[in-house]
Amino acid sequence: MQLKLSVTSNAPPVPSIHFSSMSMLGAFMAIGITARLSQRSGLPWLIAPFGASCVLVFGLPDSPPAQPRSVIGGHLITSLIGLLVLYFIGDAWWAQALAVGLALGGMQLTRTVHAPAGANPLLVMATHPGFGFLFAPVLSGALVIVAVAYGINNLRVRSSYPRYWV
């Protein structure tokens, strides 16, 4: 007797091997480049939220949070908000919560919602960086991710990424 389970799901279909392979290559390249630039320059080019950014730009490249506007703008806005809260209020538990709430609102108001960037205020609170953090790693790393996404996603499907810039 053979038991056959039939499960229906509304989840999206499994992507093709080509799509997944290109996604993996893109994530590898984006993180590899930022990590290597960190090592060579002595400057921070890499932060943990960039790993999650790679999931979006390479795994869901058509989604609004994966577009350059959201990747770059989301990371910059949330980091700036984290820095402002840190320097004007401090890093108390409630300041951390306030910073994440303000960061979400800031992204919504500027149409730059990028979920991985929501971690940036907490990273700022934990590490107490200076305002140079906005340029390295935030802006420089986000630009590397977008540049690699542009190349990989357009190799995968010609003229497919980005859906929009601004």
Side-chain angles (χ1 to χ4, degrees):
M1 178 198 253
Q2 185 177 0
L3 180 63
K4 186 175 182 179
L5 296 176
S6 177
V7 178
T8 59
S9 172
N10 291 325
V14 173
S16 70
I17 295 296
H18 175 71
F19 185 93
S20 292
S21 297
M22 294 299 282
S23 296
M24 290 186 289
L25 176 63
F28 170 82
M29 288 178 61
I31 297 303
I33 290 168
T34 54
R36 183 68 172 149
L37 286 170
S38 292
Q39 185 181 50
R40 299 277 296 177
S41 70
L43 296 172
W45 284 69
L46 184 63
I47 53 176
F50 288 164
S53 293
C54 286
V55 171
L56 289 175
V57 299
F58 300 109
L60 299 167
D62 294 334
S63 67
Q67 301 311 304
R69 172 190 181 94
S70 295
V71 176
I72 297 165
H75 278 296
L76 282 172
I77 288 165
T78 59
S79 296
L80 177 61
I81 289 170
L83 286 163
L84 292 172
V85 170
L86 175 65
Y87 284 97
F88 285 106
I89 297 174
D91 64 358
W93 67 266
W94 59 269
Q96 294 174 31
L98 175 65
V100 172
L102 290 172
L104 174 56
M107 287 189 292
Q108 288 175 321
L109 291 173
T110 58
R111 298 179 304 135
T112 59
V113 174
H114 183 68
N120 291 346
L122 297 176
L123 181 60
V124 166
M125 298 288 180
T127 61
H128 292 232
F131 280 87
F133 181 80
L134 292 172
F135 301 101
V138 175
L139 179 60
S140 55
L143 288 171
V144 167
I145 291 168
V146 167
V148 173
Y150 182 83
I152 291 292
N153 289 327
N154 287 312
L155 274 176
R156 182 173 20 211
V157 178
R158 188 171 168 82
S159 300
S160 66
Y161 184 87
R163 292 290 182 211
Y164 53 88
W165 286 97
V166 293

